[in-house]
Amino acid sequence: MKYQIINGKMLLKEEALIPLNDLGLLRSYSIFDFFRVLSGVPVFLEDHLDRLLGSVDKMELDLRWSKDEIRTMCREIIASNEVVDAGLRIVVTGGYSHDGYTPARANIYMMMHNLPEYSPDDFTQGRKMISSNFTRDLPEAKTTLYVHAIHHQKRMKEVNAIEILYHTDGVITEGSRANMFFVDQNDVIVTPADAILRGITRRHLMHVAKDKYNIVERTMVMDEIADMKEAFLTSSTKGVLPVIEIGGVVIGDGKVGAITSDLHQLFNAHVAEYITAHREEFDDS
Ligand SMILES: Cc1ncc(COP(=O)(O)O)c(C=O)c1O
């Protein structure tokens, strides 16, 4: 992707450089949001802009750009990069700090990436997760702090796991980059709701599934996992992805469950509908 944006200015990627005293770099004092652009349409753009501004508030960043201005920047970067399918990342940092600690006027950066590719087998056979007792800072903000997750990549690779399930002393919260759902023995869909990032995929999935399934947001503990029939995670890049094992505990019969498969299809159909409904809006981008 040829172009990136720094504080509203479109620059060639090679010229998109920032001073070294950005508080995002020095102290990880920064938030971001990330979403897919499919067929030129930024998927669930308004939800992501709202969450971005929510993270800005929770982190108490002094951002001087409005939602409309940020939306315009999104349109411009999509048009300039002439992309059909990609990921769009917006980062807001604590600014160029005079002493490397005190927040200043916030900076906003925008860049596009190729999307990660998942194998069809991931969705038909499911994937494993490891687990870890860890609580993110400001869990309801989408902070850029992924030290714990990145540090665990080696351990994940050893068992071919796709994600880490976080719990706080046994109370399940979310994945390192995804939200978590389980299907219990009565076919009730259960999802933790406290101390999590409110995933946009999670919200849309719950919306499309609510008329067909019973969905309960409640506290869940690690000991319950062994009794669950199905499990899956949700994220903007993975959609609905089946999970067949967590921390060595096999879920149900170790195969992708019928409800998970149905939800995977329901969600993909919902995304396709969204793209069709919004294509005209971005035709000129
Ligand atoms: C910690 C965390 N939870 C949940 C999610 C899923 O959110 P979304 O569905 O909006 O991508 C993410 C996405 O990166 C995340 O980092």
Side-chain angles (χ1 to χ4, degrees):
M1 314 281 162
K2 220 166 154 191
Y3 294 99
Q4 298 183 337
I5 293 179
I6 297 182
N7 293 334
K9 219 173 173 186
M10 182 85 62
L11 296 159
L12 281 169
K13 195 168 128 191
E14 302 72 42
E15 290 165 11
L17 305 171
I18 55 164
L20 295 183
N21 61 335
D22 188 301
L23 214 52
L25 172 68
L26 297 182
R27 306 281 179 179
S28 300
Y29 205 75
S30 43
I31 61 89
F32 76 111
D33 222 291
F34 181 84
F35 45 89
R36 291 184 297 174
V37 177
L38 297 178
S39 305
V41 177
V43 178
F44 309 139
L45 177 64
E46 293 307 309
D47 299 271
H48 285 280
L49 293 179
D50 287 340
R51 186 173 64 186
L52 180 90
L53 294 178
S55 298
V56 163
D57 282 348
K58 287 178 187 99
M59 193 72 125
E60 298 179 2
L61 294 166
D62 179 17
L63 183 67
R64 309 282 174 99
W65 282 271
S66 68
K67 187 174 162 186
D68 284 347
E69 288 168 323
I70 300 170
R71 190 188 299 107
T72 302
M73 285 183 220
C74 290
R75 298 185 79 98
E76 287 173 356
I77 197 168
I78 294 168
S80 301
N81 283 312
E82 296 175 355
V83 286
V84 180
D85 293 342
L88 201 164
R89 183 182 303 269
I90 309 172
V91 183
V92 181
T93 74
Y96 306 133
S97 176
H98 72 279
D99 57 359
Y101 198 71
T102 310
R105 185 183 285 204
N107 291 318
I108 182 163
Y109 307 132
M110 233 178 246
M111 65 206 85
M112 298 188 78
H113 311 280
N114 290 326
L115 286 168
E117 280 180 23
Y118 296 99
S119 141
D121 288 355
D122 291 343
F123 298 94
T124 55
Q125 291 171 24
R127 293 292 303 262
K128 292 180 189 172
M129 295 175 83
I130 59 170
S131 64
S132 181
N133 188 352
F134 177 70
T135 312
R136 292 192 308 112
D137 280 340
L138 300 179
E140 294 190 359
K142 195 164 166 64
T143 65
T144 57
L145 199 64
Y146 284 78
V147 175
H148 193 79
I150 292 173
H151 194 232
H152 274 67
Q153 278 182 356
K154 205 171 141 208
R155 198 154 73 83
M156 285 166 65
K157 260 193 202 131
E158 279 164 9
V159 294
N160 194 25
I162 196 165
E163 255 288 351
I164 311 170
L165 178 66
Y166 289 154
H167 63 91
T168 303
D169 299 330
V171 176
I172 296 170
T173 52
E174 62 190 334
S176 68
R177 294 193 291 167
N179 290 116
M180 209 56 218
F181 288 84
F182 297 87
V183 180
D184 75 9
Q185 296 298 332
N186 300 315
D187 290 346
V188 175
I189 299 170
V190 183
T191 183
D194 293 331
I196 61 163
L197 180 76
R198 302 265 153 186
I200 306 300
T201 317
R202 177 182 186 274
R203 168 130 59 89
H204 279 264
L205 177 72
M206 287 167 75
H207 177 72
V208 292
K210 72 176 186 314
D211 293 337
K212 198 166 172 186
Y213 294 102
N214 186 4
I215 307 171
V216 176
E217 295 182 86
R218 68 161 171 89
T219 304
M220 258 196 79
V221 294
M222 290 297 282
D223 286 347
E224 289 182 73
I225 291 177
D227 297 328
M228 293 291 155
K229 251 167 89 174
E230 301 181 26
F232 59 92
L233 51 80
T234 61
S235 84
S236 294
T237 50
K238 300 178 190 81
V240 174
L241 192 134
V243 174
I244 50 159
E245 193 182 307
I246 301 174
V249 178
V250 174
I251 314 291
D253 61 3
K255 297 201 174 85
V256 175
I259 293 179
T260 302
S261 297
D262 187 39
L263 291 171
H264 171 72
Q265 280 166 21
L266 271 179
F267 181 74
N268 286 353
H270 174 64
V271 172
E273 264 171 41
Y274 179 94
I275 293 168
T276 306
H278 290 79
R279 192 168 276 154
E280 252 176 45
E281 242 175 88
F282 292 93
D283 262 357
D284 57 345
S285 291

